[in-house]
Amino acid sequence: MPSAPVQNDIASSNDGLPPRSVFSSRLGFVMAAAGSAVGVGNIWGFPTQVADHGGAAFILVYLLMVVVLAYPMLVAEMTIGRMAQKNPVAAMGSLSDKPFWKKTGAIVGVAGIITLSLIISFYAIISGWLLAFMLEPLAKLTGMTGLASWLTSFSTSLNLIAMVAFMALTIHVVRAGVSNGIERWSKKLMPMMFILLIGLVAYIMTLEGAEQGLTMYLKPDFSHILEPSLLVNAMGQAFFSLSLGVCAIMVYGSYLSEKESLPKTAAMVTALDTSVALLAGLLVIPAMTVAQANGVTIYAADGTLLESDTLVFTVLPALFNSMGAAGSIVAMAFFTLMSIAALTSAISMLEAPG
Ligand code: PFF
């Protein structure tokens, strides 16, 4: 007699707990975890950190931090999640049999979730702006100039509405479940994001002024290499970029099939995340010097680079505006890229208590 169809979203039950969802394939897991890792931190945070901390000197220290600290930590978080097959608080609590350490583990899990709530509270606002900036060229092209200027106004109404719209989209994906929501969306969005990124890098490289950016990005200034701020920033960036220490990857690990090799899948996620950060540097830093060649100010009066939010929401839009008709398309592509990166990261933040 044919057996009943197996629902691939649900794993067999364990310890009398409700059945746990699973990713349906390794690719699905890697895309979802890379989706969590690749976010605003890669496309905006990494390039601006590089520009602020001695160019390629920062990149070298960052790569060292990724290999020596972040990658092992990623394997550890995924291992705890998959071994426990529980939500992060219960998973951390199950690491020991001793009541004191059980409680300590659970407290560490709760601290992770609290930190995540703090991250999502600013991430959602920034992501709302990214959505608004993505729609602005469309409003302009269709003659809705009032709407277009509201979308870039940073007014309280915009902050609120854009943030709610972004969170509604995130909730919509998370509610659809692990394989039907998170995995399905990540498998579609991540390749799209990659193609947009490559296309934008190729385009920016053809513009006047890109070469200076390339030099700024790739030439190491070793006088910075032992600065404590460089070391701390490189470590913080590596942890933030791989979504570590806040249980997001742990919960994804708890949905990963027993068959998959943890070191191998973690290596894939790390490689994807690092490649996107390196590529984003090839886009954002040359875009800044192209903007400078077009007469846009990128340095403050004291000679330091403008604040990173000014660079993304003022310098780059000014560059896109100076490009004429092509500028609207490039602006839309850039902010779509950023919005996708932000969405797949926010999804993992919302799923973390799962
Ligand atoms: N890794 C994301 C980024 O680089 O933007 C940020 C992030 C996502 C941090 C998910 C923590 C997290 F749980």
Side-chain angles (χ1 to χ4, degrees), residues 33-43 45 112 116 119 122-123 237-249 273 341-342 344-350 352:
S36 167
V38 172
V40 177
N42 296 59
I43 298 165
L116 207 48
I119 296 177
F122 76 80
Y123 213 84
Q237 179 65 30
F239 272 65
F240 186 77
S241 191
L242 279 163
S243 309
L244 293 173
V246 287
C247 304
I249 292 294
D273 183 64
T344 50
S345 293
I347 290 169
S348 72
M349 295 184 204
L350 210 61

Side-chain angles (χ1 to χ4, degrees), residues 192-206 279 283 330 333-334 337:
M192 204 196 283
M193 193 219 56
F194 215 72
I195 291 169
L196 277 174
L197 182 57
I198 306 254
L200 281 166
V201 170
Y203 177 70
I204 286 289
M205 286 302 161
T206 64
L279 272 172
L283 166 65
V330 180
F334 178 75
L337 162 73

Side-chain angles (χ1 to χ4, degrees), residues 261-315:
S261 149
L262 290 169
K264 207 193 262 173
T265 38
M268 288 177 186
V269 174
T270 308
L272 279 173
D273 183 64
T274 308
S275 321
V276 171
L278 293 173
L279 272 172
L282 282 182
L283 166 65
V284 173
I285 299 182
M288 274 159 28
T289 50
V290 170
Q292 192 185 28
N294 286 12
V296 180
T297 310
I298 64 166
Y299 289 104
D302 63 358
T304 56
L305 219 50
L306 290 174
E307 290 293 326
S308 57
D309 54 342
T310 317
L311 291 172
V312 170
F313 291 111
T314 311
V315 172

